[in-house]
Amino acid sequence: MRATMKILGRAGVVGMAWLACPAHAYHPMVTDDTGTQGLGGNQLELGYDYDRNTLGAPSGGGHSFPVTYTRGVGDALDLFAGQVRMSGGVEGWSNVGLGAKWRFYSNDASGLSLGLEPEVQLPVSAADEAKGLGNGRLSYALTFLMARNTSFGQVFANAMAARENFADGSITIRRSQYRLSVAPVLDVAQAWRVALDMGLKTNPDGGGRYLMRYMEVGTVYSPSAAMDLSVGVIRDAVQGPPRHTKVTSEVTWHF
């Protein structure tokens, strides 16, 4: 039970990262786009997140520092690797995430593009899992991506399925987790975009209602083609715990 409370209540737990704010997504959004770096392109993401969860979380919340590197190995195919450093009660590195993004369809005339994003999370030790640093067994996810250009900007939509696996068999978090989400992105001024991200996802608390909702408001400022600065606020909503709020920020460098 103690391990379960830590995993549900500790902010930034990577065992729930599929449903929170993956570092390789179109930051600051939960919903990812179909964009890739192009052959030979690189991307480095450095972030800071502050989490507050009312279920089992210590006062003051938690802090996490995600780092993700992405490499374009084809015009429409990226490979990425990422990890999160956690602090604020739980200290240490979380699961290593490895994955790919493949844009398998693109139509310039309609502005529609489709993609797939498989990802695995390598396990942490059983001791680190008990501390709340992540999953002690291999976990994996697959996300279907859709993007559509519009007169005001873009609209993204995702459908994700994930499997959470733990070394501690007594943990009551739901192993199979899903998310459906949509995010309109508005071009409001030169170099400025504003996004509204919303969706339904599996409540990880096995004793609570199966579905929960989330909503996010975020903005992206791009001072140059090589850099994006982004910030967002995400709020989970469910009848009963857990209730979770995340403030997420990131610097993204394209090179």
Side-chain angles (χ1 to χ4, degrees):
M1 182 62 178
R2 181 182 177 186
T4 301
M5 292 296 286
K6 283 186 176 180
I7 290 176
L8 282 173
R10 170 52 54 189
V13 171
V14 179
M16 297 165 62
W18 317 115
L19 307 179
C21 192
H24 55 270
Y26 186 102
H27 198 270
M29 294 185 296
V30 177
T31 305
D32 204 355
D33 68 343
T34 59
T36 56
Q37 304 308 305
L39 180 62
N42 300 276
Q43 178 178 276
L44 180 64
E45 299 168 86
L46 304 174
Y48 165 71
D49 299 339
Y50 174 79
D51 294 77
R52 183 65 180 242
N53 196 321
T54 60
L55 179 60
S59 60
H63 311 272
S64 56
F65 303 86
V67 179
T68 303
Y69 170 70
T70 302
R71 171 73 174 179
V73 296
D75 289 337
L77 179 62
D78 284 352
L79 300 179
F80 60 83
Q83 196 173 19
V84 179
R85 176 72 184 185
M86 295 171 57
S87 67
V90 172
E91 302 284 341
W93 288 97
S94 66
N95 302 89
V96 172
L98 303 173
K101 182 194 287 188
W102 173 42
R103 186 177 61 254
F104 63 84
Y105 174 82
S106 183
N107 188 311
D108 292 337
S110 66
L112 176 67
S113 58
L114 306 174
L116 289 174
E117 190 173 71
E119 182 176 358
V120 297
Q121 286 188 358
L122 304 182
V124 298
S125 67
D128 283 345
E129 178 185 88
K131 294 176 184 177
L133 284 173
N135 297 35
R137 297 185 65 183
L138 185 74
S139 299
Y140 45 90
L142 179 65
T143 305
F144 172 77
L145 314 171
M146 187 276 286
R148 181 73 180 264
N149 295 330
T150 69
S151 59
F152 58 78
Q154 292 178 295
V155 174
F156 307 141
N158 288 178
M160 185 213 70
R163 180 68 179 179
E164 303 281 3
N165 293 310
F166 302 97
D168 183 355
S170 67
I171 291 175
T172 59
I173 289 176
R174 289 187 170 101
R175 301 307 201 256
S176 297
Q177 299 186 16
Y178 306 93
R179 171 172 54 84
L180 292 173
S181 61
V182 62
V185 181
L186 285 67
D187 297 325
V188 295
Q190 184 175 2
W192 284 94
R193 285 157 286 168
V194 173
L196 177 64
D197 195 342
M198 67 200 85
L200 292 173
K201 60 185 182 180
T202 304
N203 180 0
D205 179 8
R209 291 186 59 179
Y210 185 77
L211 288 178
M212 58 194 304
R213 305 180 304 279
Y214 83 88
M215 181 172 289
E216 178 186 9
V217 176
T219 185
V220 182
Y221 171 57
S222 303
S224 71
M227 182 173 291
D228 299 321
L229 307 174
S230 53
V231 63
V233 178
I234 307 167
R235 175 67 175 171
D236 287 342
V238 64
Q239 291 187 359
R243 296 188 179 93
H244 172 242
T245 300
K246 174 192 285 282
V247 179
T248 179
S249 60
E250 186 174 277
V251 176
T252 304
W253 178 34
H254 310 274
F255 59 100

